[in-house]
Amino acid sequence: MYDTTKNKKLLILGATSSEISLVKRAQEFGVKVYVTDNHTDYDLSPAKKYADVAWDVSWSDLDTLEQMCRKEGIDGITAGYSEIRVENVIKLCKRLDLPCYTTMEQLEITRDKIKFKNECRLNGVPVVKEYKTIEDVDAYPVIVKPVDRAGSIGISVAHNKEELKRAYDYAMDMSLCKEVIIEEYIYKAVKFDAYYEIIDGKIELISTDDVINAAENGTKKVVQSGWMLPSIHQDAFKEKIDPCMRRMIAHMGIKDGYIFFSGFADKNSNFVFFECGFRLCGGHLYNYFPLMGFHNNLDIFILHALTGSAKEAVRGTCKNPDLKCVTINLYAKSGIIKEISGWEKIRQMKDCRFALQYAHIGQKCVDNQAILSKLGMAYFCNDSISQLEKDVAEMYTYFVAEDENGNDMVYDRVDPSYISRWWKGDILNGL
């Protein structure tokens, strides 16, 4: 598809199951794909099974990687779903004088929750209320987080001062830079995300979503069981917040890439934001966005890494402006996986646009405050809300994950009726 990438060599830092799609997409363009991490057990690094070349070198071992990249004649480097790996991409690209879509300054703003909120304030984007110290907290519950971790790592909710002290210590332990942020815990609202693509300085809002939280979650930990796109708040977001977001993206000097913002929206479409990511996101929505007339965001990162620009990226064609998408995340209860199956049947479903297995047989899964093992995810696209409800119900009939005693290991199963009730406004009105 892209002549400028043919026969070039791309190194991807990381080789998890999430990187498999990135590997395959680059190979479609005639690219020779290398992946690297320090795992020699390829069940832990399944992308190595798909790459043209697999290196068993840590993506943080920059001295060794620099030597290997020079020897192999690597033309570009990228990373998928981790700010820590993106940091190493920046450093390695600088050593090798290779293109990089982001700078260290941009990365710091987008991965540091405090710096991000300061940037929001500069550009008129509303943010979640925060407290500077434990002593400043005057109302509960509050949510406590490391400032520099994503994916719900290190996050917990406190309902009193004793819980707050424990939550603070836990977040500090999980923080890489040893900084913690305490924020108002917003529960009479829905978590909301907004997605933008930037190509050659042109900024476009490509979609929004509303999050489905785990039903049995309570406030012990933050678990997102699903996402529904577009958000029922999207029109209000375009009117109230989108101009400020565009101003902030431009102010940060972003020219090429894909960025997503996370916040909350209440029933009156009042918004506040708390973090963002300037990287590929774990929702793997690159199959949905082209259906809406936008770019495959994998292409943006691949092209920029190999050519220094994403201008060549080809837009998708929007044939149905009412197309919706429902993503279901499958997390695990504690136990050792004896059986995990159903993926082939799920992939064969007419509306399934993406399905990915994360876990493998024999894997020990944990369900605690620090981490929750992920079994996999799938998403479905259709303009009919009732059909998407049926799709989710059908998916659950196929998917099986059992422990050694035959117990169901799925942490949370979304009630399919939630989907239609949400988009009809029934649940929103009850917030």
Side-chain angles (χ1 to χ4, degrees):
M1 183 184 294
Y2 301 116
D3 292 337
T4 54
T5 62
K6 194 172 182 180
N7 297 322
K8 288 199 173 184
K9 298 178 180 180
L10 176 70
L11 172 64
I12 299 171
L13 302 191
T16 71
S17 53
S18 290
E19 276 73 50
I20 292 173
S21 296
L22 187 58
V23 170
K24 290 183 175 181
R25 185 64 174 174
Q27 289 170 335
E28 289 178 20
F29 305 151
V31 176
K32 185 175 183 180
V33 181
Y34 297 66
V35 297
T36 191
D37 68 16
N38 59 2
H39 294 302
T40 55
D41 179 353
Y42 286 12
D43 282 338
L44 300 177
S45 299
K48 290 184 175 181
K49 301 175 184 178
Y50 296 87
D52 297 291
V53 180
W55 292 345
D56 300 331
V57 178
S58 170
W59 40 258
S60 63
D61 185 353
L62 298 184
D63 291 337
T64 301
L65 289 177
E66 180 184 356
Q67 294 175 10
M68 295 177 75
C69 286
R70 291 188 186 280
K71 182 179 178 181
E72 287 292 313
I74 295 296
D75 297 296
I77 305 168
T78 192
Y81 306 87
S82 159
E83 278 86 359
I84 301 173
R85 280 188 269 146
V86 171
E87 177 180 342
N88 284 280
V89 169
I90 296 170
K91 292 176 179 177
L92 193 54
C93 285
K94 184 176 182 180
R95 290 188 182 201
L96 297 167
D97 194 27
L98 292 175
C100 188
Y101 76 95
T102 186
T103 65
M104 196 64 75
E105 291 75 19
Q106 290 167 346
L107 178 64
E108 283 303 307
I109 293 171
T110 56
R111 74 173 173 180
D112 185 303
K113 294 175 175 62
I114 293 175
K115 291 180 180 178
F116 167 71
K117 290 173 77 172
N118 289 338
E119 184 71 18
C120 285
R121 294 184 184 101
L122 279 175
N123 292 281
V125 177
V127 296
V128 176
K129 178 183 177 181
E130 65 189 75
Y131 301 92
K132 291 185 178 180
T133 67
I134 289 177
E135 287 69 30
D136 291 333
V137 175
D138 57 4
Y140 291 93
V142 292
I143 189 165
V144 188
K145 318 170 188 175
V147 302
D148 56 349
R149 299 301 296 268
S152 301
I153 296 173
I155 296 176
S156 52
V157 178
H159 300 83
N160 53 55
K161 193 165 187 177
E162 183 179 343
E163 290 184 4
L164 174 56
K165 290 178 179 178
R166 288 199 300 267
Y168 191 92
D169 290 342
Y170 165 57
M172 185 66 75
D173 286 342
M174 300 302 292
S175 173
L176 301 175
C177 68
K178 299 306 174 187
E179 287 189 66
V180 172
I181 186 169
I182 306 169
E183 295 177 326
E184 175 189 5
Y185 180 66
I186 298 175
Y187 53 93
K188 291 186 177 180
V190 63
K191 185 174 178 290
F192 169 94
D193 300 299
Y195 305 91
Y196 288 83
E197 65 179 25
I198 308 96
I199 296 181
D200 197 29
K202 183 180 180 182
I203 303 166
E204 291 196 75
L205 173 67
I206 51 179
S207 194
T208 57
D209 73 35
D210 296 319
V211 174
I212 306 171
N213 288 322
E216 302 302 322
N217 208 43
T219 56
K220 291 182 179 179
K221 52 179 168 283
V222 179
V223 179
Q224 300 179 36
S225 291
W227 301 289
M228 298 175 290
L229 297 91
S231 167
I232 58 177
H233 299 283
Q234 180 163 288
D235 289 343
F237 174 81
K238 286 181 178 179
E239 179 184 349
K240 295 180 177 181
I241 308 298
D242 178 54
C244 299
M245 285 295 190
R246 291 172 183 270
R247 185 163 61 246
M248 183 163 70
I249 293 168
H251 184 258
M252 290 165 59
I254 295 173
K255 299 298 182 184
D256 288 285
Y258 166 79
I259 189 167
F260 52 96
F261 300 89
S262 296
F264 295 96
D266 68 15
K267 63 181 180 180
N268 297 315
S269 294
N270 296 309
F271 299 89
V272 288
F273 290 85
F274 60 88
E275 68 179 7
C276 76
F278 187 28
R279 54 172 172 79
L280 288 171
C281 72
H284 296 272
L285 292 165
Y286 42 79
N287 291 327
Y288 172 63
F289 293 148
L291 296 176
M292 301 303 293
F294 298 101
H295 296 82
N296 181 322
N297 48 298
L298 296 178
D299 296 6
I300 298 173
F301 290 90
I302 294 168
L303 282 168
H304 196 281
L306 293 173
T307 71
S309 170
K311 287 191 290 185
E312 193 181 353
V314 176
R315 293 178 68 99
T317 301
C318 183
K319 296 181 179 179
N320 186 350
D322 297 321
L323 190 69
K324 295 176 173 61
C325 177
V326 173
T327 300
I328 298 297
N329 291 315
L330 296 158
Y331 287 98
K333 300 174 184 176
S334 295
I336 297 175
I337 300 173
K338 184 179 182 181
E339 179 182 357
I340 183 167
S341 61
W343 292 110
E344 288 308 311
K345 289 183 178 180
I346 293 170
R347 290 188 183 101
Q348 291 169 10
M349 292 173 61
K350 181 181 177 181
D351 293 335
C352 183
R353 297 290 178 172
F354 179 84
L356 179 64
Q357 177 176 325
Y358 284 83
H360 59 271
I361 291 174
Q363 179 176 329
K364 183 178 180 180
C365 297
V366 294
D367 168 11
N368 57 39
Q369 186 182 33
I371 192 169
L372 190 65
S373 300
K374 193 168 186 176
L375 299 167
M377 64 180 293
Y379 64 74
F380 308 90
C381 299
N382 199 297
D383 62 337
S384 167
I385 295 171
S386 60
Q387 181 57 50
L388 288 171
E389 183 178 324
K390 293 175 183 177
D391 288 337
V392 172
E394 183 179 350
M395 182 208 71
Y396 282 130
T397 66
Y398 298 141
F399 183 74
V400 175
E402 294 182 349
D403 66 15
E404 295 173 310
N405 298 314
N407 298 315
D408 179 25
M409 292 189 68
V410 179
Y411 176 82
D412 179 66
R413 293 175 185 265
V414 174
D415 177 359
S417 69
Y418 183 100
I419 295 163
S420 57
R421 288 186 289 122
W422 176 258
W423 264 316
K424 289 176 182 176
D426 296 345
I427 296 173
L428 178 67
N429 292 331
L431 291 178

